[in-house]
Amino acid sequence: MTSPSQTAVTKTDTPGPGTEGAASEKKGKSGALTGRSPGQLMWARFKRDRTGITSACIVLFFFAIGLLAPVISKLYGKDPYTQYGLNTPGLLVNQYPAGPNGGMSSDFWFGIEPSLGRDVFMQLLYGIRNTLGLAVAITLISVLTAIVLGVTAGYFGGRIDYFIGRFIDLLMAFPNQLFYVAFVPVVGAIFVPPSDQMPMWLRVTIIILVMWFLGWMSLARLLRGTVLSLREREFIEAARISGASPWRIIRRELIPNVMTPILVQTTYMLPNFVTSIAGLSFLGVGLVEPTPDWGRMFANAADYYRNDITYLFFPGVAMVLFIVAFNLLGDSVRDAFDPKRAR
């Protein structure tokens, strides 16, 4: 006859259904209980979001074809600069593609460009490459500027916070799009005489500087507010008492705790810069011929869409797909970091 104590031991030692999996998740290789970092928890939540995973795959696809555009050009056998329609008789009739659907064929997958006869597929790939390259550069500079000024204003406060805050308020009073359109040619005219053609490297530099100048303020204000609340927390006070320098506190304590708004806002900033760069090219103050540009394809298509809608179709669908995917990716990243917030 078994005693009650033996029965209790028997029941405790016998694992119930599903307890082995839970125990294996909590125990490491040595058998000790282990926890997951916030980054691991965020990644686990993000992997369960099908919309986020699909959006991330689409965004990575666009960046991949942009980076691999020269390789694809060699495999495809064409480039974005050669005027195939003018060099080969019969491809263009009255400046429009002779074949159906904009001249789409096994030789020209997306057809050829009206008037000049360049390959639309190569124009689109290199246009995506150039536009995304500019947008990434502007986003990185803007994020770094926002981190430096926003965190500095929030942590030190006082006069530093006052002057940085008033400077941000002044810049936010400017209408961004009008400022871009007005100042890109003005800044270019300062460095290049009207009789000379502006070098492409200088035009790219001016676009980056002008768009960066008004692109960092929103994130800086967000970081300032977040740091203002964090600097009064116990772990910051403990770091101060321990003798840590302000630079160490900012680098080791504050920056890791504001990575969530930085990552989320970055996923919204980059597509905004993409549309702004495309808008500048559409208005004629962005990248110019013969450099392929995503936005300028829309400007050219505005002249041809009545007789060749195909030329507008591919850059339009690509732009919509990229912007929607990146915005959905931003929502998924936000929800992964903040699971309590419903989409």
Side-chain angles (χ1 to χ4, degrees):
M1 182 175 179
T2 59
S3 63
S5 60
Q6 291 177 336
T7 305
V9 170
T10 304
K11 290 182 180 180
T12 304
D13 292 341
T14 304
T19 56
E20 292 182 359
S24 62
E25 289 181 1
K26 295 181 180 179
K27 291 185 178 181
K29 293 181 179 180
S30 62
L33 295 178
T34 59
R36 289 187 293 178
S37 66
Q40 292 173 329
L41 293 173
M42 176 267 177
W43 175 242
R45 288 191 293 265
F46 182 78
K47 288 191 298 183
R48 294 195 295 267
D49 190 343
R50 295 182 179 179
T51 301
I53 294 297
T54 303
S55 301
C57 292
I58 294 174
V59 169
L60 290 176
F61 171 76
F62 274 90
F63 278 101
I65 62 174
L67 290 173
L68 299 176
V71 178
I72 298 175
S73 176
K74 290 183 179 180
L75 297 175
Y76 184 54
K78 295 178 176 62
D79 61 76
Y81 305 103
T82 303
Q83 299 176 353
Y84 299 100
L86 299 180
N87 297 337
T88 305
L91 290 180
L92 291 177
V93 177
N94 295 328
Q95 296 186 340
Y96 289 96
N101 300 321
M104 294 174 58
S105 64
S106 58
D107 294 327
F108 302 98
W109 294 353
F110 288 1
I112 58 176
E113 181 185 17
S115 182
L116 296 178
R118 294 177 295 191
D119 187 82
V120 175
F121 180 62
M122 283 290 98
Q123 281 274 306
L124 180 59
L125 256 61
Y126 275 85
I128 292 174
R129 175 187 177 89
N130 294 332
T131 302
L132 291 185
L134 284 174
V136 169
I138 298 168
T139 301
L140 290 177
I141 300 175
S142 300
V143 169
L144 290 176
T145 305
I147 292 174
V148 172
L149 295 181
V151 174
T152 299
Y155 179 74
F156 290 101
R159 292 184 177 181
I160 296 177
D161 182 25
Y162 176 81
F163 286 113
I164 293 178
R166 300 299 75 75
F167 181 62
I168 291 175
D169 294 337
L170 175 64
L171 294 183
M172 294 191 73
F174 287 92
N176 288 17
Q177 298 297 330
L178 293 178
F179 185 89
Y180 298 155
V181 174
F183 275 78
V184 167
V186 170
V187 176
I190 295 175
F191 295 98
V192 180
S195 58
D196 298 338
Q197 185 176 4
M198 186 185 301
M200 186 54 60
W201 67 267
L202 180 58
R203 181 177 292 274
V204 169
T205 303
I206 291 172
I207 292 174
I208 292 176
L209 292 178
V210 170
M211 298 189 70
W212 156 76
F213 185 67
L214 292 179
W216 55 270
M217 295 87 67
S218 298
L219 178 58
R221 294 190 71 174
L222 178 63
L223 294 179
R224 172 190 172 272
T226 305
V227 172
L228 280 174
S229 63
L230 288 175
R231 71 177 186 177
E232 306 299 333
R233 301 283 293 275
E234 291 80 3
F235 66 97
I236 299 296
E237 290 295 334
R240 289 198 191 103
I241 295 173
S242 67
S245 63
W247 164 244
R248 179 178 176 83
I249 293 175
I250 291 174
R251 181 170 53 92
R252 300 296 297 272
E253 305 294 342
L254 291 177
I255 296 296
N257 283 281
V258 297
M259 286 305 298
T260 298
I262 290 174
L263 291 177
V264 173
Q265 289 300 313
T266 300
T267 58
Y268 292 125
M269 290 171 64
L270 194 143
N272 289 336
F273 285 131
V274 168
T275 55
S276 297
I277 294 169
L280 290 179
S281 299
F282 182 84
L283 297 174
V285 295
L287 300 180
V288 297
E289 296 283 2
T291 304
D293 184 77
W294 204 351
R296 200 175 61 250
M297 293 185 73
F298 290 100
N300 295 338
D303 299 327
Y304 307 134
Y305 76 94
R306 294 182 183 275
N307 297 311
D308 185 12
I309 192 64
T310 308
Y311 183 67
L312 176 63
F313 176 78
F314 291 108
V317 170
M319 178 69 76
V320 171
L321 187 62
F322 177 80
I323 298 300
V324 171
F326 222 117
N327 287 331
L328 291 176
L329 177 62
D331 293 340
S332 298
V333 171
R334 179 199 63 199
D335 294 341
F337 275 112
D338 187 6
K340 296 180 181 180
R341 180 170 181 172
R343 175 172 298 179

